[in-house]
Amino acid sequence: MKTRRIVELLASAEVDSDVVVKGWVRTKRGNKNVAFIALNDGSCVKNVQVVVDLQKFGDEQLRQITTGACLRVDGRLVASPGSGQGVEVQAEKIEIYGTADPETYPLQKKGHSLEFLREIAYLRPRTNTFGAVLRIRHAMAFAIHEYFHTHGFYYFHTPIITGSDCEGAGAMFSVTTMDLNNVPRNEEGKVDFTQDFFGKPCNLTVSGQLEGELGALSLGRIYTFGPTFRAENSNTVRHASEFWMIEPEAAFYELEDNMELAEDFLKYLIRYALEHCREDLEFMNKMWDPELLDRLNFVVANDFKRLDYTEGIEILKASGRKFEFPCEWGDDLQSEHERYLVEEHFKRPVILINYPKAIKAFYMKQNEDGRTVRAMDVLFPKIGEIIGGSERENDYGKLCARVRELGMNEKDIWWYLDTRKWGSAPHSGFGLGFDRLLMFVTGLGNIRDVQPFPRTPKNAEF
């Protein structure tokens, strides 16, 4: 008989039918006549109750059914007389796939802290919280591809191993096959990379943007969605050494088009979560963040405010608020500034535009004032910046001048500059950190708790 997933059984109207269900024991309770086993297979946050008539099963087998054990249950799906569930399974046969010693199994019935669960990340997907988080993570990944596919964007694979650093976006992990105990050196005593696998220094990518722009200037609209890496020693709740990024790039998009895309994209993802992950979101709302559902609906229901950086600075200075980090024109805004604009002043998401040129990357299109660039940051409640992007500089002369102004080596990005020599076009794009999106959608405050196996400084377990 075909195994039925628990999510299907709980929604089933086919009572009084024979079923096979498999999963892991969450709890077992009962009396001298009957046992009640809560079984979960990861398909939903709820368990199915298995009712066991003790006279049908031997004591030895029943003793092995403890929290964490993995079972196959053949039985009868019936309407449940108890409250809390519509159906239950009356067990006729039980096969124990794997036992779990109750003295050593780490996940017992009591609650566990998120900090403790990070130490056993290989088991935490069995908990209600991380089952919910990982199902939401899957749904968001699926929605990203669905959105871009239906909007005419092509999924474009940019390299993970790269010889460029995308404008110095962060410290990079080196990639080498050289024997680190016997590194070859040239006549100047420097590392001789000509003897390395690629014949030049290479690193793990910090962003697929530069290569993504090349795709957009050929295919029109592309998006990347893949892992990126930062070798920064940042031990904060928002930083990880390995994380996933979504980076769309579109030819013939100017800044206004880019803002419209970002707003529509974010609202689509949140609506998708509210529609397809309702049970898991309600669980996260109940257990971890009682404002989660209100905040998600808040973003969907409100138009994003377009705000010039200069006006934003004036609002912050006139607020009377004593910020931890004072802000003046030319400063990069801190999370406290961003959240004030969103949560207190405008009471809706904000897209901040036209930042000072001095604090933004070389590839951003310069405004006529010579002081600012056509950059944009999307600011959300609770977390501040969730998207960063810009219209890209498409003028070859201006781009080269900016590269030289910053002391960058033109030879390292000759291929990127060449795209402005032959058939250049207006184009724009942005980056959305997938894991930070998940922090917002799940209500969890630490990036380590939305990644299956987080990679952070001094931590590469599992």
Side-chain angles (χ1 to χ4, degrees), residues 143-174:
I144 286 163
H145 288 298
E146 184 173 77
Y147 177 87
F148 284 121
H149 177 71
T150 57
H151 285 76
F153 284 72
Y154 299 107
Y155 186 26
F156 191 70
H157 294 165
T158 55
I160 291 175
I161 299 174
T162 179
S164 73
D165 70 351
C166 192
E167 97 277 346
M172 304 181 79
F173 289 101
S174 296

Side-chain angles (χ1 to χ4, degrees), residues 27 34 48 55 103-104 108 119 124 139 178 184 189 217 227 278 284 327 336 347 353 355 359 398 417 444 448:
T27 61
V34 65
V48 69
Q55 294 184 352
E103 298 298 322
T104 58
Q108 292 301 318
E119 298 174 7
R124 66 181 182 170
M178 291 190 290
L217 292 172
R278 192 74 195 189
M284 299 302 293
C327 59
E336 61 176 337
K347 293 183 171 56
I353 61 173
Y355 278 79
I359 61 173
K398 290 182 179 179
L417 298 175
L444 292 179
R448 294 165 180 81

Side-chain angles (χ1 to χ4, degrees), residues 172-242:
M172 304 181 79
F173 289 101
S174 296
V175 175
T176 182
T177 59
M178 291 190 290
D179 181 358
L180 298 184
N181 293 312
N182 187 25
V183 177
R185 299 188 179 276
N186 57 27
E187 294 178 355
E188 299 176 350
K190 297 180 180 179
V191 175
D192 186 1
F193 283 102
T194 63
Q195 297 188 44
D196 205 356
F197 187 88
F198 293 105
K200 60 181 289 187
C202 284
N203 308 282
L204 296 179
T205 185
V206 296
S207 169
Q209 179 202 314
L210 300 189
E211 294 89 348
E213 286 186 52
L214 311 188
L217 292 172
S218 301
L219 298 172
R221 300 177 186 177
I222 66 93
Y223 71 103
T224 73
F225 182 23
T228 54
F229 308 85
R230 303 282 169 90
E232 298 165 341
N233 189 24
S234 297
N235 289 282
T236 77
V237 297
R238 289 164 51 89
H239 290 87
S241 302
E242 177 183 330

Side-chain angles (χ1 to χ4, degrees), residues 36-47:
F36 301 96
I37 299 170
L39 205 65
N40 190 283
D41 63 0
S43 62
C44 61
V45 73
K46 292 181 179 178
N47 310 312

Side-chain angles (χ1 to χ4, degrees), residues 308-350:
D308 193 272
Y309 168 90
T310 299
E311 185 182 350
I313 291 293
E314 292 170 355
I315 290 171
L316 291 167
K317 293 177 70 174
S319 69
R321 174 67 57 84
K322 185 175 178 60
F323 295 107
E324 181 181 355
F325 298 95
C327 59
E328 297 289 341
W329 198 96
D331 293 336
D332 209 356
L333 298 190
Q334 302 296 318
S335 180
E336 61 176 337
H337 307 136
E338 296 166 342
R339 292 185 61 183
Y340 174 82
L341 292 172
V342 172
E343 297 170 12
E344 299 186 47
H345 188 83
F346 291 106
K347 293 183 171 56
R348 54 178 166 147
V350 171

Side-chain angles (χ1 to χ4, degrees), residues 8-168:
E8 299 166 357
L9 288 182
L10 295 178
S12 177
E14 301 174 11
V15 294
D16 296 321
S17 59
D18 294 328
V19 296
V20 175
V21 62
K22 301 172 183 177
W24 292 269
V25 176
R26 289 291 171 83
T27 61
K28 185 180 78 169
R29 60 183 178 83
N31 52 45
K32 62 182 180 180
N33 297 316
V34 65
F36 301 96
I37 299 170
L39 205 65
N40 190 283
D41 63 0
S43 62
C44 61
V45 73
K46 292 181 179 178
N47 310 312
V48 69
Q49 179 168 276
V50 177
V51 182
V52 182
D53 183 345
L54 301 186
Q55 294 184 352
K56 296 181 179 180
F57 298 89
D59 290 342
E60 180 59 31
Q61 184 183 36
L62 292 172
R63 275 196 296 270
Q64 296 181 72
I65 300 175
T66 60
T67 297
C70 186
L71 311 180
R72 167 184 170 142
V73 178
D74 295 57
R76 190 86 174 164
L77 184 68
V78 300
S80 177
S83 60
Q85 67 274 330
V87 295
E88 62 188 24
V89 177
Q90 293 179 343
E92 299 294 336
K93 177 183 176 183
I94 297 177
E95 180 181 354
I96 300 174
Y97 285 147
T99 60
D101 182 354
E103 298 298 322
T104 58
Y105 183 60
L107 297 175
Q108 292 301 318
K109 188 177 179 180
K110 65 177 183 179
H112 299 287
S113 70
L114 295 174
E115 291 78 7
F116 169 74
L117 292 174
R118 288 177 210 140
E119 298 174 7
I120 54 168
Y122 66 104
L123 283 176
R124 66 181 182 170
R126 293 193 192 180
T127 66
N128 286 335
T129 293
F130 286 94
V133 167
L134 294 175
R135 284 188 294 271
I136 294 169
R137 188 179 178 102
H138 157 78
M140 290 294 89
F142 181 84
I144 286 163
H145 288 298
E146 184 173 77
Y147 177 87
F148 284 121
H149 177 71
T150 57
H151 285 76
F153 284 72
Y154 299 107
Y155 186 26
F156 191 70
H157 294 165
T158 55
I160 291 175
I161 299 174
T162 179
S164 73
D165 70 351
C166 192
E167 97 277 346

